[in-house]
Coordinates of all heavy atoms in Angstrom, one line a residue:
P9 N 19.6 12.6 27.0 CA 20.5 12.0 28.1 C 21.4 10.8 27.5 O 20.9 10.0 26.7 CB 19.5 11.4 29.1 CG 18.2 12.2 28.9 CD 18.2 12.5 27.4
F30 N 44.7 -37.0 25.9 CA 45.3 -37.8 25.1 C 45.9 -39.0 25.9 O 46.1 -38.8 27.1 CB 46.3 -37.2 24.2 CG 47.3 -36.3 25.0 CD1 48.6 -36.8 25.3 CD2 46.9 -35.1 25.5 CE1 49.5 -36.0 26.0 CE2 47.8 -34.3 26.1 CZ 49.1 -34.7 26.5
D34 N 47.0 -47.0 26.3 CA 46.0 -47.2 27.2 C 46.5 -47.5 28.7 O 46.0 -48.2 29.5 CB 45.2 -48.5 26.8 CG 44.3 -48.3 25.6 OD1 43.8 -47.1 25.5 OD2 44.0 -49.1 24.8
H43 N 40.6 -27.6 34.3 CA 39.7 -28.6 34.7 C 39.7 -28.8 36.2 O 40.6 -28.5 37.0 CB 39.9 -29.9 34.1 CG 41.3 -30.5 34.3 ND1 41.6 -31.5 35.2 CD2 42.6 -30.2 33.7 CE1 42.8 -31.8 35.3 NE2 43.5 -31.0 34.3
S63 N 38.2 -23.1 44.2 CA 37.1 -22.8 45.0 C 36.7 -24.0 45.8 O 37.1 -25.1 45.4 CB 36.0 -22.3 44.1 OG 35.4 -23.3 43.3
E68 N 25.7 -25.6 50.7 CA 24.2 -25.5 50.5 C 23.9 -25.9 49.0 O 22.7 -25.9 48.7 CB 23.9 -24.0 50.7 CG 24.1 -23.5 52.2 CD 23.7 -22.1 52.4 OE1 23.4 -21.4 51.4 OE2 23.6 -21.7 53.6
V70 N 25.8 -28.7 47.0 CA 26.9 -29.6 46.8 C 27.0 -30.1 45.4 O 28.1 -30.7 45.0 CB 26.8 -30.9 47.7 CG1 26.9 -30.4 49.2 CG2 25.5 -31.6 47.5
Q73 N 29.5 -27.3 40.5 CA 30.8 -27.6 40.2 C 31.8 -26.6 40.8 O 31.5 -25.4 40.7 CB 31.0 -27.7 38.6 CG 32.4 -28.0 38.2 CD 32.6 -28.2 36.7 OE1 31.7 -27.8 36.0 NE2 33.8 -28.5 36.2
N75 N 35.5 -24.6 41.0 CA 36.4 -24.0 40.0 C 37.7 -24.8 40.0 O 38.4 -24.9 41.1 CB 36.7 -22.6 40.2 CG 35.4 -21.8 40.1 OD1 34.6 -22.0 39.2 ND2 35.2 -20.7 40.8
L80 N 48.5 -29.8 34.1 CA 48.7 -30.9 33.3 C 48.7 -32.2 34.1 O 49.4 -32.3 35.1 CB 50.0 -30.9 32.6 CG 50.5 -32.2 31.9 CD1 49.6 -32.5 30.7 CD2 52.0 -32.0 31.4
R81 N 47.6 -33.0 33.9 CA 47.4 -34.2 34.7 C 47.9 -35.4 34.0 O 47.7 -35.6 32.8 CB 45.9 -34.4 35.0 CG 45.6 -35.6 36.0 CD 44.2 -35.7 36.0 NE 43.6 -36.4 34.9 CZ 42.3 -36.7 34.6 NH1 41.4 -36.2 35.4 NH2 42.0 -37.3 33.6
V85 N 47.8 -46.1 35.1 CA 47.1 -47.3 35.6 C 48.0 -48.4 35.8 O 48.8 -48.8 34.8 CB 45.9 -47.7 34.7 CG1 45.2 -48.8 35.3 CG2 45.0 -46.4 34.5
A113 N 59.1 -20.8 36.7 CA 59.3 -22.1 37.2 C 59.1 -22.2 38.8 O 58.5 -23.1 39.3 CB 60.6 -22.7 36.9
K121 N 49.4 -38.2 43.7 CA 48.5 -39.0 44.5 C 48.5 -40.4 43.9 O 48.6 -40.7 42.8 CB 47.2 -38.4 44.4 CG 46.1 -39.1 45.2 CD 44.8 -38.2 45.2 CE 43.6 -39.0 46.0 NZ 42.9 -39.9 45.2
V125 N 43.2 -49.7 45.9 CA 41.9 -50.3 46.1 C 42.1 -51.7 46.8 O 42.9 -52.6 46.4 CB 41.2 -50.6 44.8 CG1 39.9 -51.3 45.1 CG2 40.8 -49.2 44.1
W129 N 37.2 -50.9 49.7 CA 37.8 -49.7 50.1 C 38.7 -49.2 49.2 O 39.5 -50.0 48.6 CB 38.3 -49.9 51.5 CG 37.3 -50.1 52.7 CD1 36.7 -51.2 53.0 CD2 36.8 -49.0 53.5 NE1 35.7 -51.0 53.9 CE2 35.8 -49.6 54.3 CE3 37.0 -47.7 53.5 CZ2 35.0 -49.0 55.3 CZ3 36.3 -47.0 54.5 CH2 35.4 -47.6 55.4
E130 N 38.8 -47.8 49.1 CA 39.8 -47.2 48.3 C 40.5 -46.1 49.2 O 39.8 -45.3 49.9 CB 39.1 -46.5 47.1 CG 40.2 -45.7 46.3 CD 39.5 -45.2 44.9 OE1 38.3 -45.5 44.7 OE2 40.2 -44.3 44.2
G132 N 43.7 -43.1 49.3 CA 44.5 -42.2 48.5 C 45.6 -41.5 49.4 O 45.4 -41.2 50.6
P143 N 54.0 -26.8 52.1 CA 53.8 -28.1 51.4 C 52.6 -28.7 52.3 O 52.5 -28.5 53.4 CB 55.3 -28.7 51.8 CG 55.8 -28.0 52.9 CD 55.2 -26.6 52.9
K154 N 28.0 -52.6 54.7 CA 26.6 -52.9 54.3 C 26.0 -51.8 53.3 O 26.5 -51.6 52.3 CB 25.7 -53.2 55.5 CG 26.1 -54.3 56.4 CD 25.1 -54.7 57.4 CE 25.6 -55.9 58.2 NZ 24.6 -56.2 59.3
N155 N 25.0 -51.1 53.8 CA 24.4 -50.1 52.9 C 24.8 -48.7 53.3 O 24.2 -47.7 52.7 CB 22.9 -50.1 53.0 CG 22.4 -51.5 52.4 OD1 22.8 -52.0 51.4 ND2 21.3 -52.0 53.1
V156 N 25.8 -48.6 54.1 CA 26.2 -47.2 54.6 C 27.6 -46.9 54.0 O 28.5 -47.7 54.1 CB 26.4 -47.2 56.1 CG1 26.8 -45.8 56.4 CG2 25.0 -47.4 56.7
N175 N 57.8 -15.0 55.8 CA 59.1 -15.5 56.1 C 59.2 -16.8 55.2 O 58.5 -17.8 55.5 CB 59.3 -15.8 57.6 CG 60.7 -16.5 57.9 OD1 61.5 -16.5 56.9 ND2 60.8 -16.9 59.1
G190 N 32.7 -38.7 57.4 CA 31.3 -38.7 57.3 C 30.7 -40.0 56.8 O 31.4 -40.9 56.5
Q198 N 12.9 -44.9 47.4 CA 12.3 -43.5 47.9 C 13.1 -42.4 47.3 O 12.7 -41.3 47.6 CB 12.4 -43.6 49.4 CG 11.6 -44.5 50.1 CD 12.2 -46.1 50.2 OE1 13.2 -46.2 49.8 NE2 11.3 -47.0 50.5
Q205 N 28.4 -35.2 58.0 CA 29.8 -35.0 58.0 C 30.4 -34.1 59.0 O 29.7 -33.1 59.4 CB 30.2 -34.4 56.6 CG 31.7 -34.2 56.3 CD 32.0 -33.8 54.8 OE1 31.1 -33.7 54.1 NE2 33.3 -33.6 54.6
Y206 N 31.5 -34.4 59.5 CA 32.2 -33.5 60.6 C 33.4 -33.0 59.9 O 34.2 -33.8 59.3 CB 32.5 -34.3 61.8 CG 33.3 -33.6 62.9 CD1 32.6 -32.7 63.7 CD2 34.7 -33.6 62.9 CE1 33.3 -31.9 64.7 CE2 35.4 -32.8 63.8 CZ 34.7 -32.0 64.7 OH 35.5 -31.3 65.5
Y208 N 37.0 -30.6 60.7 CA 37.9 -29.8 61.6 C 38.8 -29.0 60.8 O 39.5 -29.7 59.9 CB 38.6 -30.7 62.6 CG 39.6 -30.0 63.3 CD1 39.3 -29.3 64.5 CD2 40.9 -30.0 62.9 CE1 40.2 -28.6 65.2 CE2 42.0 -29.3 63.6 CZ 41.7 -28.6 64.8 OH 42.5 -28.0 65.5

Side-chain angles (χ1 to χ4, degrees):
F30 53 100
D34 290 332
H43 61 96
S63 70
E68 297 181 354
V70 295
Q73 184 178 2
N75 296 326
L80 171 63
R81 185 190 76 185
V85 180
K121 180 171 177 276
V125 178
W129 287 83
E130 180 176 352
K154 295 185 178 181
N155 296 323
V156 178
N175 179 11
Q198 293 80 11
Q205 184 174 356
Y206 176 85
Y208 172 83

